[in-house]
Amino acid sequence: MTPETRDRLTKVSTATLCTALFKRGLRHQMIQGVLPLNPGLPNMVGEAFTLRYMPAREDRNGIEVFQNRAHPQRKAVEECPPGAVMVIDSRKDARAASAGGILVARLMQRGVAGVVTDGGFRDSPDIARYAMPAYHSRPSAPTNLTLHEAIEINGPIGCGDAPVFPGDVVVGDAEGVVVIPAHLAEEIAAEATEMTVFEDFVQEKVLEGRSILGLYPPTDEHSRTDFAAWRTARGR
Amino acid sequence: MTPETRDRLTKVSTATLCTALFKRGLRHQMIQGVLPLNPGLPNMVGEAFTLRYMPAREDRNGIEVFQNRAHPQRKAVEECPPGAVMVIDSRKDARAASAGGILVARLMQRGVAGVVTDGGFRDSPDIARYAMPAYHSRPSAPTNLTLHEAIEINGPIGCGDAPVFPGDVVVGDAEGVVVIPAHLAEEIAAEATEMTVFEDFVQEKVLEGRSILGLYPPTDEHSRTDFAAWRTARGR
Amino acid sequence: MTPETRDRLTKVSTATLCTALFKRGLRHQMIQGVLPLNPGLPNMVGEAFTLRYMPAREDRNGIEVFQNRAHPQRKAVEECPPGAVMVIDSRKDARAASAGGILVARLMQRGVAGVVTDGGFRDSPDIARYAMPAYHSRPSAPTNLTLHEAIEINGPIGCGDAPVFPGDVVVGDAEGVVVIPAHLAEEIAAEATEMTVFEDFVQEKVLEGRSILGLYPPTDEHSRTDFAAWRTARGR
Amino acid sequence: MTPETRDRLTKVSTATLCTALFKRGLRHQMIQGVLPLNPGLPNMVGEAFTLRYMPAREDRNGIEVFQNRAHPQRKAVEECPPGAVMVIDSRKDARAASAGGILVARLMQRGVAGVVTDGGFRDSPDIARYAMPAYHSRPSAPTNLTLHEAIEINGPIGCGDAPVFPGDVVVGDAEGVVVIPAHLAEEIAAEATEMTVFEDFVQEKVLEGRSILGLYPPTDEHSRTDFAAWRTARGR
Amino acid sequence: MTPETRDRLTKVSTATLCTALFKRGLRHQMIQGVLPLNPGLPNMVGEAFTLRYMPAREDRNGIEVFQNRAHPQRKAVEECPPGAVMVIDSRKDARAASAGGILVARLMQRGVAGVVTDGGFRDSPDIARYAMPAYHSRPSAPTNLTLHEAIEINGPIGCGDAPVFPGDVVVGDAEGVVVIPAHLAEEIAAEATEMTVFEDFVQEKVLEGRSILGLYPPTDEHSRTDFAAWRTARGR
Amino acid sequence: MTPETRDRLTKVSTATLCTALFKRGLRHQMIQGVLPLNPGLPNMVGEAFTLRYMPAREDRNGIEVFQNRAHPQRKAVEECPPGAVMVIDSRKDARAASAGGILVARLMQRGVAGVVTDGGFRDSPDIARYAMPAYHSRPSAPTNLTLHEAIEINGPIGCGDAPVFPGDVVVGDAEGVVVIPAHLAEEIAAEATEMTVFEDFVQEKVLEGRSILGLYPPTDEHSRTDFAAWRTARGR
């Protein structure tokens, strides 16, 4: 992802990105059912670095496993690249935590762009105060060992019913998280940027009292000329 | 709905309305599973104007369909009467949006009283800032075309497992949305207003330390005389 | 529960308590799916006093049943001991209320430590302003009579898939509610207090930039010596 | 229940019983989501004898608990009266068994009329061969100790969202199980018997080619006279 | 639908039809979650004739409503054309019946090709013995009035998350039910017929021991020549 | 797995195996929610060979992908060892197929011991007639490409919420499927064999009229002596 693409993606919404993906036949890229713990932050943007959990077998998941420095959960936290987004496949099961405040703090401190699970985080009140975006389905206090064993780092996964490949571009806003296939990131970012300019124009006109018919989409000629003029005036 | 009924309904809670409906044998009038995006607003009150979605068939729901000014979703937004509440049957499926910020802005600008879906809205952070009440189950960024085809305007529908007929009176507060059959609106509003006076009295007494036994309901004679005195003193 | 145990439990998180329980083989003590209505309050701590609902049969649950002072719902509210937590088994069904603002106000006024249901409360905007912690799955305006009949006071129940026995120690924070078996309360409180000191140390070090490897858990010798020094310095 | 009522209930369907209950305002008496393991048997009819499970706490539910002859699950199996139906509240959770083949065999051998759980049975292939009706939601091999602790014998419970009081009359056919409040059993049995005669007549006429309009219900005069003649001819 | 198309559709599977639809970008045409009550019958084939239910409001759905000959449920049963398939939108709610044995018998007697609901049928043991295919999600004894009000005949609906328009071609086999858009029925029937010939060949070869690689799909030249020879030999 | 272990596992039930696992603290080894398509077959026994699906991205899952001989789904079918059980992680999503009749036929022809998915099979009526055991949650006609992309062969997975590692021993009977960790297979098989002898004795005695108290478990001395005698007499 180029710096320009990253920059553009911080300024568009997941809703607009979903529409650009829909136009290309991609209908399942939104991670279903996750919300931000800290919705006031700027957009989360980064390449996906993934962690996959499987159901925990009790004899492999005693509290002592974390004595092992190579435990995949801890290893993933130390290896996730700065600027990336850690995406965790928790099989949509939030009955036990995907991670907690200390690991999320470590990700933040290492410069990671954000963290997403389709399960839940523990220490969620702490995480909600951090400056790094985090998304989950609901708070979940029980330790991950209760139900989840970290089994694979940076392979292809599902998260909230969306397909996620390492390197895909992940964008989050106050509404949720969308996954853009790596090879489409640049063109989607460009298209969404253009769409956002037009939607800002439409939003303004609608709030001034104009009908959406002929304006959204701009099937009326004068909608297109008005937009051209507005755009020039705003320098966008 | 008379202006007096509308006014009364702005001052009672959905909880009280549900009890008044329960007394008449109506147990399913609460729209289950929706919450306000903007909970600080006054009550939403208006007659139901409905929109029904069916599952989207891909060949009928390309992005180009909105070029058609007669598309039911857009038509509904322009036709919903001022003072009405648009109620959308999204089959409780929030995996794609029921509508987005621009359409909701248009409804607001046209004087519509509020909007409810048993699915989700996109651009929900924008909608949360609007002055018109909106209710959904959760944010949902993907365009409605992904899963929903608007198929019927202002027919009878289900919304959140509640039956909704056009013209029913819809009331929303910070807790959710209730549907009052049109022919009962006046009497329910009157009864709920009376109930609210009594509940305010009870609430005050309970916070002063009185037991609920004999007070709520007022099976003790002195509860009834205390209430009469309180009511006179308060001029209610 | 001794005053010391109660005091300790106000200062630890449900996440830490879950880990201490997990070490003892107890994996299902978190009440799944409930959130606080008033998350800014201090921890809720108290012995469980339970109320069980069964499905309501219509002929037994008319509005007139509350004329009976001995109705178990009302009786429970008046009998729940000060300092206890009322835990309600609503069979995870929030389509009708477990209780409303007036009953919750009465509990608060009587000195009860908090109230939990795996269903929903009505008058939830009022309850959210009270100074007593309350937890539920979502707001629910319909009267409990619609679906729930209060049938048993202070027997063993399930709540959010957790087992709850009268007298168990119930702790809630901004993340949710955990149930500690009565006979373990003291040792769990003590252990969680120790764990919290160490986790505070780790959190601080991580935010200063230290890796979690060797620190959490402290498999490196210097992590242990650093902690000892930190602890002495902080007087904890 | 008189022998005549019991006899009548063996000859009517749960569908007809549900309609008779509906006419009296009882809408939730069908145990939702259970099916017979042995659908070829005659109707199951008997008074409810109940068993309630709560979520299992691990330290109370080791395999050794069955050494205790007073364990409520085993006790219930030995105490359930001949002719009664054992109804088990498993909180609609079939991830672990409610009971297995040996206990169900013992119930059968003791003359119990049938057994129902809103969870699942283990050894279900064996139970499917028994001559006593058994109903569950699906097979479930794990021992009940995994998730369920038997906690109360013969109290009021919920089963499949239906209210069940000890002594209620429970009827099962190939479609499912319905719960008739004890005080209504006689009149419901009588009414359902009458309804069944009429429905048999209608069924026969419909299969002969007659329209349902005017026949079902018999709003046409000739439908009523035809039925009277048919009834006389059949001696019913 | 031509007689030839109808005939072809009796000889292909819903699985093959789904693949033909998938090739055209139609991914949601299978009615999810329904099974045949009478799986031994030949394929069900017919044009969709629809019935839509909404949630029942108690004051509109007393037992007396069937006195009205124009009640939509009864009217639909008398109006559904011979050779058509009645498809019922029950909002995937099987807690009350969509229809019962008498109405289904009348449909059969009138020459209707089959009946589908995404809810459940009552009198399901009777229906299972009929010679007309019927599909539902599970048996459901309670009368439809408990939860469902028939509100619209032959409009566009959803059924099991599939879009259904009147006149669409509906095909059912022992696996379930698929909905073919009317304008595609002929070409889909033709293509599925061809696919079936090839799949029969593949199935035979696989059972004889051949690898699927190069055979399914026939990327090996000799697979194609073998198929040509086989087809000639079988006269298909 | 030794031949003796394999042989023993063909003669014990999944219920008995679950209890043996429970005694060792393993509570989640049953694959939840799957049933046999062909329940009359002998037990399925084999080492797990796994296939993992992720959510399908549309641009990677066109019908043409099967032209690729190295496609993981097809490759897995050709590589699964004779005597093994193919276990498919379909994320419990049966809205599209995990595999169909031709692939299952190929597995059978290759000597594979069985196949399990926590999704659904297409061509399920064909598969139900095969002599190789197959387990799924429900029939599902749509091609796997609709929702599932085969992404990994023979890694650790979850299936029906159970952890499955390649080489674990998988046993299926008419009730469902259980996963035995590889290192425990021999001892579990031996213990379950012993348990089965005793349960057969108990079953026989119960059907003869003996109480379960003191017999199951055999806390009475005479139960143990009776069993010893019975065992000798039967030569088991």
Side-chain angles (χ1 to χ4, degrees):
Chain A
M1 180 168 45
T2 64
E4 184 185 19
T5 293
R6 185 182 287 266
D7 181 60
R8 282 175 162 167
L9 291 172
T10 61
K11 298 173 181 158
V12 297
S13 72
T14 56
T16 299
L17 291 167
C18 281
T19 301
L21 290 161
F22 176 83
K23 290 181 187 170
R24 284 159 182 79
L26 300 176
R27 296 156 168 270
H28 299 97
Q29 301 302 115
M30 193 75 189
I31 295 178
Q32 293 287 339
V34 303
L35 286 171
L37 280 86
N38 30 26
L41 297 180
N43 272 14
M44 169 182 79
V45 183
E47 286 92 353
F49 179 88
T50 72
L51 178 62
R52 179 161 69 92
Y53 285 114
M54 63 179 290
R57 206 174 77 198
E58 292 88 338
D59 62 344
R60 294 173 54 95
N61 289 281
I63 197 73
E64 71 287 351
V65 298
F66 292 131
Q67 304 280 340
N68 177 9
R69 281 166 170 260
H71 187 279
Q73 190 203 40
R74 303 300 162 92
K75 196 160 170 281
V77 165
E78 292 294 336
E79 291 185 358
C80 181
V85 172
M86 177 174 279
V87 185
I88 307 173
D89 176 350
S90 303
R91 307 177 319 286
K92 300 185 288 187
D93 191 339
R95 292 175 299 153
S98 300
I102 289 171
L103 297 199
V104 173
R106 177 61 181 154
L107 288 170
M108 174 175 64
Q109 204 282 336
R110 291 190 55 253
V112 165
V115 62
V116 184
T117 179
D118 58 2
F121 290 115
R122 67 200 307 233
D123 308 319
S124 55
D126 289 343
I127 297 173
R129 286 187 293 268
Y130 291 167
M132 182 185 73
Y135 293 79
H136 70 168
S137 67
R138 63 172 174 88
S140 181
T143 169
N144 63 304
L145 298 169
T146 312
L147 281 175
H148 297 308
E149 176 173 344
I151 199 68
E152 190 185 13
I153 296 176
N154 221 20
I157 61 169
C159 185
D161 291 335
V164 187
F165 293 86
D168 282 352
V169 174
V170 180
V171 181
D173 63 7
E175 192 146 276
V177 180
V178 68
V179 181
I180 309 172
H183 70 286
L184 291 176
E186 189 173 337
E187 73 178 73
I188 292 282
E191 180 168 322
T193 301
E194 284 298 291
M195 287 168 69
T196 300
V197 176
F198 179 67
E199 286 164 1
D200 288 351
F201 161 75
V202 169
Q203 181 88 347
E204 187 178 316
K205 293 302 151 192
V206 164
L207 289 172
E208 290 170 11
R210 197 183 284 190
S211 166
I212 55 173
L213 302 181
L215 171 67
Y216 182 61
T219 48
D220 285 351
E221 175 58 29
H222 77 92
S223 293
R224 294 189 293 271
T225 52
D226 286 1
F227 173 53
W230 180 91
R231 191 166 190 175
T232 306
R234 305 296 166 104
R236 294 180 71 173
Chain B
M1 180 166 48
T2 64
E4 184 184 21
T5 294
R6 185 182 287 266
D7 181 60
R8 282 174 162 167
L9 291 172
T10 61
K11 296 172 183 160
V12 296
S13 73
T14 56
T16 300
L17 291 167
C18 280
T19 300
L21 290 161
F22 176 83
K23 290 180 189 171
R24 285 159 181 80
L26 300 177
R27 296 157 168 272
H28 298 96
Q29 301 303 116
M30 194 75 189
I31 296 179
Q32 293 287 339
V34 303
L35 286 171
L37 282 86
N38 29 28
L41 296 180
N43 272 15
M44 170 181 78
V45 183
E47 286 92 352
F49 179 88
T50 72
L51 179 63
R52 181 162 68 93
Y53 285 115
M54 63 180 288
R57 207 174 78 197
E58 292 89 338
D59 62 345
R60 294 174 55 96
N61 288 281
I63 195 76
E64 71 288 350
V65 299
F66 291 131
Q67 303 282 340
N68 177 7
R69 280 166 170 260
H71 188 280
Q73 190 203 39
R74 303 300 162 93
K75 196 158 170 282
V77 166
E78 292 293 336
E79 290 186 358
C80 181
V85 171
M86 178 176 276
V87 184
I88 306 174
D89 176 350
S90 302
R91 307 177 319 286
K92 299 187 286 187
D93 191 339
R95 292 175 299 152
S98 300
I102 288 172
L103 298 200
V104 173
R106 178 61 181 154
L107 288 170
M108 174 175 64
Q109 203 285 334
R110 290 189 57 253
V112 166
V115 62
V116 185
T117 179
D118 58 3
F121 290 114
R122 64 200 311 231
D123 308 320
S124 55
D126 290 343
I127 296 172
R129 285 187 293 269
Y130 292 168
M132 183 186 72
Y135 294 81
H136 69 169
S137 68
R138 64 171 173 87
S140 182
T143 170
N144 64 303
L145 298 170
T146 312
L147 280 176
H148 297 309
E149 176 174 343
I151 199 67
E152 188 185 14
I153 296 176
N154 219 21
I157 61 169
C159 185
D161 291 336
V164 187
F165 292 86
D168 281 352
V169 174
V170 180
V171 181
D173 63 9
E175 192 148 274
V177 180
V178 68
V179 180
I180 309 171
H183 70 286
L184 292 177
E186 189 173 335
E187 73 178 73
I188 292 281
E191 180 168 326
T193 301
E194 285 298 293
M195 289 167 68
T196 300
V197 176
F198 179 68
E199 286 164 3
D200 287 352
F201 162 76
V202 170
Q203 181 87 347
E204 188 177 314
K205 293 302 150 191
V206 164
L207 290 172
E208 290 169 11
R210 196 183 286 190
S211 166
I212 54 172
L213 302 182
L215 171 67
Y216 183 61
T219 47
D220 285 351
E221 175 58 29
H222 76 91
S223 294
R224 292 192 292 272
T225 51
D226 285 1
F227 174 52
W230 180 91
R231 193 165 188 176
T232 305
R234 303 297 165 102
R236 291 181 74 174
Chain C
M1 180 167 48
T2 64
E4 184 184 20
T5 293
R6 184 182 286 267
D7 181 59
R8 280 175 162 168
L9 291 172
T10 61
K11 297 174 181 158
V12 297
S13 72
T14 56
T16 300
L17 291 167
C18 280
T19 300
L21 290 161
F22 175 84
K23 290 180 187 170
R24 285 159 181 79
L26 300 177
R27 297 156 167 269
H28 298 96
Q29 301 303 116
M30 193 75 187
I31 296 180
Q32 292 287 339
V34 303
L35 286 171
L37 281 87
N38 30 26
L41 297 180
N43 272 15
M44 170 182 79
V45 183
E47 287 92 352
F49 179 88
T50 72
L51 178 62
R52 180 163 66 94
Y53 285 115
M54 63 180 289
R57 206 174 78 197
E58 292 89 338
D59 62 343
R60 294 173 54 95
N61 289 280
I63 196 74
E64 71 287 352
V65 298
F66 292 131
Q67 303 282 339
N68 177 8
R69 280 167 170 259
H71 186 279
Q73 190 203 40
R74 302 301 162 91
K75 195 158 171 281
V77 167
E78 292 293 336
E79 291 185 358
C80 182
V85 171
M86 177 177 278
V87 184
I88 307 174
D89 175 349
S90 303
R91 308 177 319 285
K92 299 186 287 187
D93 192 338
R95 292 175 298 152
S98 300
I102 289 172
L103 298 199
V104 173
R106 177 62 181 155
L107 288 170
M108 174 175 64
Q109 205 281 338
R110 292 189 54 253
V112 165
V115 61
V116 185
T117 178
D118 58 2
F121 290 115
R122 66 201 310 234
D123 308 320
S124 56
D126 290 343
I127 297 173
R129 285 186 293 268
Y130 292 166
M132 181 186 73
Y135 294 80
H136 70 168
S137 68
R138 64 172 173 88
S140 183
T143 170
N144 64 304
L145 299 170
T146 311
L147 280 174
H148 297 308
E149 175 174 343
I151 200 67
E152 189 186 14
I153 296 177
N154 220 21
I157 60 169
C159 184
D161 291 337
V164 187
F165 292 86
D168 281 352
V169 174
V170 180
V171 181
D173 63 7
E175 192 148 274
V177 180
V178 69
V179 181
I180 309 172
H183 69 287
L184 292 175
E186 188 172 336
E187 75 178 72
I188 292 282
E191 180 168 323
T193 300
E194 284 299 291
M195 289 168 68
T196 300
V197 177
F198 179 67
E199 287 164 3
D200 287 350
F201 161 75
V202 170
Q203 181 87 345
E204 187 178 314
K205 293 300 150 194
V206 165
L207 290 172
E208 289 170 12
R210 196 183 286 191
S211 167
I212 55 174
L213 302 181
L215 171 66
Y216 183 61
T219 48
D220 284 353
E221 175 59 29
H222 77 92
S223 294
R224 293 190 292 271
T225 51
D226 286 359
F227 172 53
W230 180 92
R231 190 165 190 177
T232 305
R234 303 299 166 102
R236 292 180 71 173
Chain D
M1 180 166 47
T2 65
E4 183 183 21
T5 293
R6 184 181 287 264
D7 181 61
R8 282 176 162 167
L9 291 172
T10 62
K11 298 173 182 159
V12 297
S13 71
T14 55
T16 300
L17 291 168
C18 281
T19 301
L21 290 161
F22 176 83
K23 290 180 188 170
R24 285 160 181 78
L26 300 177
R27 297 155 167 271
H28 298 97
Q29 300 303 115
M30 194 76 189
I31 295 180
Q32 293 288 337
V34 304
L35 285 170
L37 280 86
N38 28 26
L41 296 180
N43 272 14
M44 170 181 78
V45 183
E47 286 92 354
F49 180 87
T50 72
L51 178 63
R52 180 161 68 93
Y53 285 115
M54 64 179 290
R57 206 173 79 196
E58 292 88 340
D59 62 344
R60 293 173 55 95
N61 288 281
I63 196 75
E64 71 289 349
V65 297
F66 292 130
Q67 304 282 339
N68 176 8
R69 280 166 169 260
H71 187 278
Q73 190 204 39
R74 303 300 163 94
K75 196 160 171 281
V77 166
E78 292 293 337
E79 292 186 357
C80 181
V85 172
M86 178 176 276
V87 185
I88 307 173
D89 175 351
S90 303
R91 306 177 320 286
K92 300 186 287 187
D93 191 339
R95 293 175 298 152
S98 300
I102 289 171
L103 299 199
V104 173
R106 177 63 182 153
L107 288 170
M108 175 174 63
Q109 205 282 336
R110 291 190 55 254
V112 165
V115 61
V116 185
T117 178
D118 58 1
F121 290 114
R122 65 200 310 232
D123 308 319
S124 55
D126 291 341
I127 297 173
R129 286 187 293 269
Y130 291 167
M132 182 186 71
Y135 293 81
H136 70 168
S137 67
R138 64 170 174 89
S140 181
T143 170
N144 64 302
L145 299 170
T146 312
L147 281 175
H148 298 306
E149 176 173 343
I151 200 67
E152 188 186 14
I153 296 177
N154 220 21
I157 60 170
C159 184
D161 291 336
V164 188
F165 293 86
D168 282 352
V169 174
V170 180
V171 181
D173 62 9
E175 192 147 275
V177 180
V178 67
V179 181
I180 309 173
H183 70 287
L184 292 176
E186 189 174 335
E187 73 177 73
I188 292 280
E191 180 168 324
T193 300
E194 284 297 292
M195 289 168 68
T196 299
V197 177
F198 180 67
E199 286 164 3
D200 287 351
F201 161 75
V202 170
Q203 181 88 345
E204 188 177 312
K205 293 303 150 192
V206 164
L207 290 172
E208 289 169 12
R210 198 182 285 189
S211 166
I212 54 173
L213 302 182
L215 172 67
Y216 184 61
T219 48
D220 285 353
E221 175 58 27
H222 76 93
S223 295
R224 293 190 291 272
T225 52
D226 285 1
F227 173 53
W230 179 92
R231 192 165 188 177
T232 305
R234 304 296 166 104
R236 294 181 70 175
Chain E
M1 178 166 50
T2 65
E4 185 184 19
T5 294
R6 184 183 287 264
D7 181 60
R8 282 175 161 167
L9 292 171
T10 61
K11 298 172 182 158
V12 297
S13 72
T14 55
T16 301
L17 291 168
C18 280
T19 301
L21 290 162
F22 176 82
K23 291 179 187 170
R24 285 158 181 81
L26 299 176
R27 296 157 168 270
H28 298 96
Q29 300 303 116
M30 195 74 188
I31 295 180
Q32 293 287 340
V34 303
L35 285 171
L37 280 86
N38 28 27
L41 297 180
N43 272 14
M44 170 182 76
V45 183
E47 287 92 351
F49 178 87
T50 71
L51 179 62
R52 179 162 69 91
Y53 285 114
M54 63 180 290
R57 206 173 79 198
E58 292 88 340
D59 62 343
R60 294 173 55 95
N61 289 281
I63 197 74
E64 70 288 350
V65 298
F66 292 131
Q67 303 281 340
N68 176 8
R69 281 166 170 260
H71 186 280
Q73 191 204 40
R74 302 300 162 91
K75 195 158 171 281
V77 166
E78 292 294 336
E79 291 185 358
C80 181
V85 172
M86 179 176 276
V87 185
I88 307 174
D89 175 350
S90 302
R91 306 179 319 286
K92 300 187 286 187
D93 191 338
R95 292 175 298 152
S98 300
I102 289 172
L103 298 200
V104 172
R106 177 62 182 155
L107 288 170
M108 175 176 63
Q109 204 283 337
R110 292 190 55 251
V112 165
V115 61
V116 185
T117 179
D118 58 2
F121 290 115
R122 65 201 309 232
D123 307 320
S124 56
D126 291 341
I127 297 173
R129 287 187 293 267
Y130 291 167
M132 182 186 73
Y135 294 80
H136 71 169
S137 67
R138 63 171 173 89
S140 182
T143 170
N144 64 304
L145 299 169
T146 312
L147 279 175
H148 297 309
E149 176 173 343
I151 200 68
E152 187 184 15
I153 296 176
N154 220 21
I157 60 169
C159 185
D161 290 337
V164 188
F165 292 87
D168 281 352
V169 174
V170 180
V171 181
D173 62 8
E175 191 147 276
V177 181
V178 68
V179 180
I180 311 172
H183 70 286
L184 292 175
E186 190 174 334
E187 73 178 74
I188 293 281
E191 180 167 324
T193 300
E194 284 299 292
M195 289 168 68
T196 300
V197 176
F198 179 68
E199 287 164 3
D200 287 351
F201 161 76
V202 170
Q203 182 88 345
E204 187 178 313
K205 294 301 150 193
V206 164
L207 289 173
E208 290 169 12
R210 196 182 286 190
S211 166
I212 55 173
L213 302 182
L215 172 67
Y216 182 61
T219 49
D220 284 353
E221 175 58 27
H222 77 92
S223 294
R224 293 190 293 269
T225 52
D226 285 1
F227 173 53
W230 180 92
R231 191 166 190 176
T232 305
R234 306 295 167 106
R236 292 181 72 173
Chain F
M1 179 168 47
T2 66
E4 184 185 21
T5 293
R6 184 183 288 266
D7 181 59
R8 282 175 162 167
L9 291 172
T10 62
K11 298 172 182 158
V12 297
S13 72
T14 56
T16 300
L17 292 167
C18 280
T19 301
L21 291 160
F22 176 84
K23 291 180 187 169
R24 284 158 181 81
L26 300 177
R27 298 156 167 269
H28 298 96
Q29 300 303 115
M30 193 75 188
I31 296 181
Q32 293 287 340
V34 304
L35 286 171
L37 281 85
N38 29 25
L41 297 178
N43 272 14
M44 170 181 78
V45 182
E47 286 92 353
F49 180 87
T50 71
L51 178 63
R52 180 163 67 93
Y53 285 114
M54 64 180 289
R57 207 173 78 197
E58 293 88 339
D59 63 344
R60 294 174 55 96
N61 288 282
I63 196 75
E64 72 287 352
V65 297
F66 291 131
Q67 303 282 338
N68 177 8
R69 279 165 172 263
H71 186 280
Q73 190 204 38
R74 303 299 162 94
K75 195 158 172 283
V77 166
E78 293 293 336
E79 292 186 357
C80 181
V85 172
M86 178 175 277
V87 185
I88 308 174
D89 175 350
S90 302
R91 306 178 319 287
K92 301 185 286 187
D93 192 339
R95 292 175 299 152
S98 300
I102 289 171
L103 298 199
V104 172
R106 178 62 182 154
L107 288 170
M108 174 175 64
Q109 205 283 336
R110 292 189 56 251
V112 165
V115 61
V116 185
T117 178
D118 57 3
F121 290 115
R122 64 200 310 233
D123 308 319
S124 56
D126 290 343
I127 297 172
R129 286 186 293 268
Y130 292 167
M132 181 186 73
Y135 294 80
H136 69 169
S137 67
R138 65 171 172 89
S140 181
T143 170
N144 65 303
L145 299 169
T146 312
L147 279 176
H148 297 308
E149 176 173 343
I151 199 68
E152 188 185 15
I153 296 176
N154 220 19
I157 61 169
C159 186
D161 290 337
V164 187
F165 292 86
D168 282 352
V169 174
V170 180
V171 181
D173 62 9
E175 191 148 277
V177 180
V178 68
V179 180
I180 309 171
H183 70 286
L184 293 175
E186 190 173 333
E187 72 176 76
I188 293 280
E191 179 168 326
T193 300
E194 284 297 293
M195 289 167 69
T196 299
V197 177
F198 179 67
E199 287 164 3
D200 288 350
F201 161 75
V202 170
Q203 181 87 347
E204 188 178 313
K205 293 302 151 194
V206 164
L207 289 172
E208 289 169 11
R210 197 182 287 189
S211 166
I212 53 174
L213 302 181
L215 171 66
Y216 182 62
T219 48
D220 285 353
E221 175 58 28
H222 77 93
S223 295
R224 293 190 293 272
T225 53
D226 286 359
F227 173 53
W230 179 93
R231 193 165 188 175
T232 304
R234 305 295 166 105
R236 294 181 70 175

